[in-house]
Amino acid sequence: MLVYFLKRLTSVVLSLIMASIVVFVALEIVPGDPAAYMMGLNADLSAIEALREQMGLNASAIVRYMSWVAGMLHGDFGISYTYKVPVSELIADRLWVSLPLALFALVLSTLIAFPAGIIAAANRNKPADFGIMGVTQLGIAIPNFWFAMLLVFFFAITLRWFSAGGFPGWSAGFFIAMKSLLLPAVALALPQASILARVMRSSLLDTLSEDYVRTARAKGLTRQQTLWRHAVRNALIPVVTIIGLQFSFLLAGAIIIENVFYLPGLGRLVFQGITQRDLITVKSVVMLLVFAVIAITFLVDLAYAVVDPRLRRQSR
Amino acid sequence: MTLLKISNLKLSIGRAQILKDVDLDVGRGEILGVIGESGSGKSVTAFSVMQLLPHAAQVSGSITLEGTELLTKTEAEMCAVRGRDVGMIFQEPMTALNPLKNIGDQVAETILVHSDKSRAEALATARDMLNRVGLTEDRFPLTRFPHELSGGQRQRVVIAMAIALKPKLLIADEPTTALDVTTQAQILELLKKLVAEDQMGLILITHDLAVVAGIADKIAIMKSGEVIERGETVELFANMREPYSKALLAATSHQPPRNPPTIVEDQVPVLKVENVVRDYPLPRVSLFKPGGHFRAVDHVSFTIHRGENVGLVGESGCGKSTLTRAILALEKTQGGAIHIDGEPVSCGAGASFGVRRKMQVVFQDPYGSFNPRHRVRRLVAEPFHLLGSDAPDGKAREKRIAEALENVGLSASDADKYIHEFSGGQRQRIAIARALIIHPSLIVLDEAVSALDVSIRAQILDLLADLSDRLDLSYLFISHDLSVVRAITDRVLVMKSGKIVEEGETESVFQNPQHEYTRELLAATPILETALKARGVG
C-alpha cells in the first residue's frame, strides 16, 4: 500500500511540474508581449515598458519560471493587475465560496444518484426504471442555467423562501451562508446527478450479470442481499471515477450558475481576469485548478485501492 | 430412496422450447453424469433445479427433492433451499468469486445466510470446510483474496462454499472444463471423496464422456432438450442403443485417417527454433533497484519439416502461448533464433510481410476472432495484404477465395454472408480458410478445436488431417488436450515451466513416456477406453 501511495504521489508531482511548464509557456513564452496584451491596443510604449519592468518580463524565461514556481510554493501568486491586491487573497476569498458550493453540489448529486441508480438497476425494465431513466434524461437535457432561473423564479420570487442571489459571507453564520448556496447547489447538482445515476445503473447492471452474483444466488442469498453485499461495491469503481471528474468540473465550471446567483466564486474570478486581460490572476487560478484536478485524481486513485484488493497487491 | 427426481420437465423461453421432456433421478451418495453438447439443455436443467432461470422462462413438469416439489416453491422458500439443501459449482472458477471479498467471508456467507450462527462461528466452519477441500490454513488463511489463488484453488473455494452446510444434493456444471488436466483429476477426486463422506447426491454436468466414464454411477445423455438415453454407467456403455450416443462415443475417441508424411531430413525445415529465450520483466519492488524477470521460455529448440504435424502440449502458464507468439513474431525474444523456410523471423520491429506470409494462425475462439461487420469474402481475403503487389485481384482473387472456402468444406457462395450466419464449427472452418488462402508453409493451431463440441471437433480434425495430407501443410498444434494431440500429430513436444521436457514421435511418447511430468500428464488425462476398461467394459 505504501509503495502504491508513493508511486501515485510521484506521478502527482511530475504532473504538476509538467502542467506548470505548459501554463507558463502558453502565457509567457509564446510570441506576443504579455504586457502589451494586458495594456490593450491603445497603450503607449512607455506604459508597456513600465509594466514589463513591474512584471519582471525582462528577465530570462528560466529565471521567470523559477521565481514564479518559488513564489507559488510560498503562497505568493503575485499582485493582481486589475484589483491591485495579492492574487492569493483573491483566490482565498473566492475559494471559500466555490469549494463549499462544489462540495455541496457533489454531496447532493451523490445522494440523489446512488439510490436512483440502484433502484433503476434493481428494477430493470420496470416502471421505476423507466421513470428514473426518463427524469435523468431530462436532467441532462435541461441547461442548468435555465433550471437555475426556474428555481429563482419559484423559490425566491414566488415563495420568497430564499434570496434570489448574492452571498452574505460565512461571517453571517453557517446556516445563512449555506442557505444562500442551496439553490445554486441544486442547479449544479441536477445534471451531475442525472449523469451519475445513469453511470451507476449501467455499472450495476454489468456487475449483476457477473458470475459471482450467480454464485451468491446459488448460496441462497435473496436478490436484495446479492445486490447490496456483492454487486454495489463492485459497481462503484467507474462511479468513483465520474465523481472525481465532476468535482473538478464543479470547482471552476460553475461560472454560469455563479453569474445567475451573483456569487463571488472562482469561475467569475477567471472570467473577469480574462475579460480584463489580467494574466497574472488567470495564470495563478489556472494553476490552482490544475492542482485541484490532479489532487482529486490522486484521491480517486487512493479510493480505488481502498475498494479493490487487487490494486493493493500490485504495490507489494 | 430417490433424492432428486425430475419428471416431464419442460421449459420454454418465448417461443423457443429449451427443454422438451427431461426425466432424471439421483439417489443419496450417487453420482449422475449428464452429458450433452452445447445447446442440449444440460445447464438449463441444472438451473431449473435451483430455480435460477431467466424471468421469461416458462416451466412445467415436476422436480422433487426428497419428495418435496421445488417448482411450486416461492422465491423466498427457494432461497432457503439454495445453498442449504442444494449446492452448486460452476464452470468458470476465475470469475465465480467476488473479487472484493476474502475467501473466508465468502465461504462463511453460505452459513450466515442460512443460520443464526455468529460471524466467528461461521468463520470457524469456513476454516474447516477450506481444510476439507485441501486449502490448509498455513498457506490459505481466510484473509486471502480470490486473485491470489490459481484456478484450481478458486474452484476448491467454490466447492467449500457449496458444501459448507452439507447439502443433500450438489450440482456441478462443467466444474473442470476450465482447468488443467492434473488439476481436473484432483478436483474430480475431491468431489468423489466428498460425495462418499457426506452421502450427497452429485449431478456432474459435462461435455466430456471420458470424465464421467471414470466416476459416474449413472449417466444421462441429452440432446436438444431431451434425455435420449440413460442408465447405469457400465450397462449404458456396454449396450448403447441410440445412434446419437454411439456417434458421440465415436467422436470422443475419433482418430482421423492420415498418411504419415515422408520427411526429407536435409531439406530446409519449415520452422527452426533455436535456443529461444523470452523474459518478462517483473514489477519493481523498489524504486532504486531494477526489477527481476520471469523466464517464460527457456532455451527452447525444435524443428518442423514440410508436411509434418507437431504438437505442443503443456498446462496453463508453461510458456506455450508465449512461444507461439514469439514464432508468430508478435513478441520480442531475448535470445536464440527462429527461422521460417530458412528466413529469420526478426524480433525487432516485427517481421516483414515476406516472413509473415509464410505463417498463419487459427485461434481458439471461433466467436471472437472475426470482425462481425465484414462479409466472409473480406474476412477470408484479409491475409492478401501480406502479398503486397503480388496479391491477386479481380477474377483471380474471387477464385482464390472460392478455392479456400471449398477446401474447408464450405461453398463459394458463402463468401457473401456475414459471420453471424455460421455456427461455431463453420466459423472455425472459415478461420482455417483464412489461414490457407495465401498458401503458408506453417499453420499454427492455437487450441483450435478446444472450444468445439466433440462431434464438431471430430469433423475439424478430419478436415485438418485431410488438408495436411493433400496440401503438404505443416502444423504446430498447440493444445492442453492430450487425446486431440495424439489423434492429429506426428511428433509431440511436452513443455513445462518454459522448457521442453520431452520430445518424440507422438505414439512412442504416449506409449512410453520418459519424463516424470509427461507420465503425470498422461495419468491425469481422462481416457474413455481406459476408464471403461477399469470398470469392466469394452
Side-chain angles (χ1 to χ4, degrees), chain B residues 238-250:
Chain B
N239 316 302
M240 249 182 203
R241 285 172 285 112
E242 291 291 323
Y244 176 77
S245 317
K246 285 180 189 158
L248 203 62
L249 188 64

Side-chain angles (χ1 to χ4, degrees), chain B residues 381-520:
Chain B
E382 247 166 344
F384 277 148
H385 81 278
L386 296 173
L387 302 182
S389 55
D390 300 339
D393 46 11
K395 280 253 167 62
R397 189 185 176 92
E398 285 301 310
K399 201 172 147 245
R400 286 278 284 276
I401 294 169
E403 177 194 277
L405 287 173
E406 279 157 9
N407 262 329
V408 298
L410 298 169
S411 73
S413 62
D414 287 329
D416 289 321
K417 294 184 182 162
Y418 285 98
I419 199 72
H420 67 258
E421 297 173 61
F422 297 91
S423 68
Q426 287 171 323
R427 286 178 200 213
Q428 212 58 331
R429 286 174 190 266
I430 294 171
I432 296 169
R434 174 167 66 182
L436 281 176
I437 198 161
I438 52 170
H439 306 313
S441 309
L442 175 73
I443 296 186
V444 175
L445 300 157
D446 189 357
E447 301 276 5
V449 297
S450 303
L452 305 175
D453 279 324
V454 279
S455 56
I456 309 293
R457 179 162 79 196
Q459 293 167 15
I460 298 288
L461 288 176
D462 280 341
L463 171 69
L464 289 172
D466 168 59
L467 289 172
S468 158
D469 290 347
R470 205 148 47 84
L471 306 177
D472 215 16
L473 287 173
S474 310
Y475 296 145
L476 176 60
F477 194 96
I478 297 139
S479 184
H480 69 284
D481 186 336
L482 275 78
S483 55
V484 171
V485 170
R486 188 175 191 171
I488 187 125
T489 62
D490 308 306
R491 233 159 18 97
V492 65
L493 313 162
V494 181
M495 196 164 179
K496 193 197 178 200
S497 317
K499 291 194 172 107
I500 305 272
V501 295
E502 182 157 3
E503 175 179 3
E505 301 287 318
T506 302
E507 263 321 294
S508 70
V509 170
F510 275 78
Q511 301 280 352
N512 185 17
Q514 295 304 308
H515 194 274
E516 182 60 28
Y517 178 68
T518 315
R519 269 181 240 144
E520 214 177 289

Side-chain angles (χ1 to χ4, degrees), chain B residues 108-277:
Chain B
E109 192 175 35
T110 312
I111 301 150
L112 288 171
V113 171
H114 292 284
S115 68
D116 304 331
K117 282 194 181 166
S118 71
R119 201 177 117 83
E121 286 173 302
L123 283 173
T125 317
R127 182 67 265 161
D128 293 344
M129 287 304 148
L130 288 170
N131 291 345
R132 257 191 100 189
V133 298
L135 300 177
T136 50
E137 177 149 30
D138 49 335
R139 285 188 57 213
F140 302 99
L142 295 176
T143 50
R144 281 287 177 117
F145 283 98
H147 68 261
E148 298 172 304
L149 308 179
S150 72
Q153 290 160 353
R154 291 187 206 193
Q155 196 63 300
R156 285 172 192 267
V157 176
V158 177
I159 294 174
M161 279 177 356
I163 60 159
L165 292 169
K166 301 203 179 339
K168 298 164 189 147
L169 177 71
L170 188 61
I171 301 175
D173 186 5
E174 305 265 11
T176 58
T177 308
L179 303 175
D180 283 324
V181 278
T182 47
T183 320
Q184 162 167 289
Q186 292 161 5
I187 295 286
L188 290 174
E189 200 50 48
L190 172 68
L191 286 174
K192 204 170 154 183
K193 186 188 94 171
L194 293 171
V195 165
E197 284 174 4
D198 289 358
Q199 282 297 298
M200 285 184 291
L202 171 66
I203 300 182
L204 181 63
I205 295 167
T206 176
H207 65 283
D208 192 344
L209 272 176
V211 165
V212 289
I215 74 167
D217 301 302
K218 293 196 297 190
I219 284 181
I221 298 175
M222 288 189 70
K223 186 199 173 197
S224 25
E226 279 176 292
V227 175
I228 56 161
E229 188 154 10
R230 62 181 176 139
E232 304 283 322
T233 305
V234 174
E235 162 88 17
L236 184 128
F237 276 108
N239 316 302
M240 249 182 203
R241 285 172 285 112
E242 291 291 323
Y244 176 77
S245 317
K246 285 180 189 158
L248 203 62
L249 188 64
T252 305
S253 37
H254 180 72
Q255 186 89 36
R258 291 207 52 214
N259 301 321
T262 39
I263 309 290
V264 191
E265 280 293 342
D266 46 350
Q267 212 180 18
V268 180
V270 166
L271 177 70
K272 194 172 173 66
V273 174
E274 291 165 296
N275 270 319
V276 165
V277 173

Side-chain angles (χ1 to χ4, degrees), chain A residues 155-175:
Chain A
F155 290 103
I157 298 175
T158 311
L159 291 174
R160 295 184 173 273
W161 289 355
F162 296 90
S163 66
F167 184 67
W170 292 98
S171 53
F174 179 77
F175 287 102

Side-chain angles (χ1 to χ4, degrees), chain A residues 3 7 10 210-212 214-223 225 229-231 233-234 237 307-310 312-314 316, chain B residues 47 50 52 55 75 79 82-84 86 88 90 92 95-101 106-107 109-110 113-114 145 147-148 161 285:
Chain A
V3 179
K7 264 188 191 169
T10 317
E210 292 280 350
D211 285 354
Y212 53 77
R214 186 184 59 187
T215 309
R217 293 278 286 143
K219 281 195 230 176
L221 272 72
T222 62
R223 227 173 262 285
Q225 287 169 327
R229 294 187 197 174
H230 292 275
R233 202 165 140 213
N234 274 292
I237 290 167
V307 174
D308 194 335
R310 286 166 293 188
R312 294 203 286 270
R313 184 190 67 152
Q314 272 186 3
R316 251 192 238 149
Chain B
F47 284 108
M50 295 296 268
L52 287 176
H55 282 297
E75 168 63 21
C79 281
R82 288 183 210 125
R84 192 191 63 195
V86 187
M88 187 155 181
F90 307 95
E92 196 37 84
T95 53
L97 295 169
N98 184 341
L100 305 186
K101 292 193 169 204
Q106 295 199 49
V107 176
E109 192 175 35
T110 312
V113 171
H114 292 284
F145 283 98
H147 68 261
E148 298 172 304
M161 279 177 356
V285 185

Side-chain angles (χ1 to χ4, degrees), chain B residues 309-432:
Chain B
N309 295 353
V310 174
L312 177 63
V313 296
E315 297 191 294
S316 46
C318 75
K320 58 187 195 297
S321 301
T322 309
L323 177 60
T324 314
R325 293 170 59 83
I327 291 170
L328 292 169
L330 297 173
E331 207 155 317
K332 279 188 188 175
T333 53
Q334 274 68 46
I338 300 169
H339 288 86
I340 287 194
D341 278 348
E343 278 187 50
V345 172
S346 74
C347 305
S352 65
F353 282 0
V355 171
R356 281 198 196 278
R357 75 173 68 160
K358 294 183 186 300
M359 53 192 177
Q360 285 294 305
V361 61
V362 177
F363 294 105
Q364 171 169 3
D365 183 3
Y367 290 89
S369 47
F370 292 101
N371 185 331
R373 305 205 197 292
H374 292 173
R375 286 177 201 278
V376 167
R377 166 174 294 107
R378 181 160 171 195
L379 293 171
V380 169
E382 247 166 344
F384 277 148
H385 81 278
L386 296 173
L387 302 182
S389 55
D390 300 339
D393 46 11
K395 280 253 167 62
R397 189 185 176 92
E398 285 301 310
K399 201 172 147 245
R400 286 278 284 276
I401 294 169
E403 177 194 277
L405 287 173
E406 279 157 9
N407 262 329
V408 298
L410 298 169
S411 73
S413 62
D414 287 329
D416 289 321
K417 294 184 182 162
Y418 285 98
I419 199 72
H420 67 258
E421 297 173 61
F422 297 91
S423 68
Q426 287 171 323
R427 286 178 200 213
Q428 212 58 331
R429 286 174 190 266
I430 294 171
I432 296 169

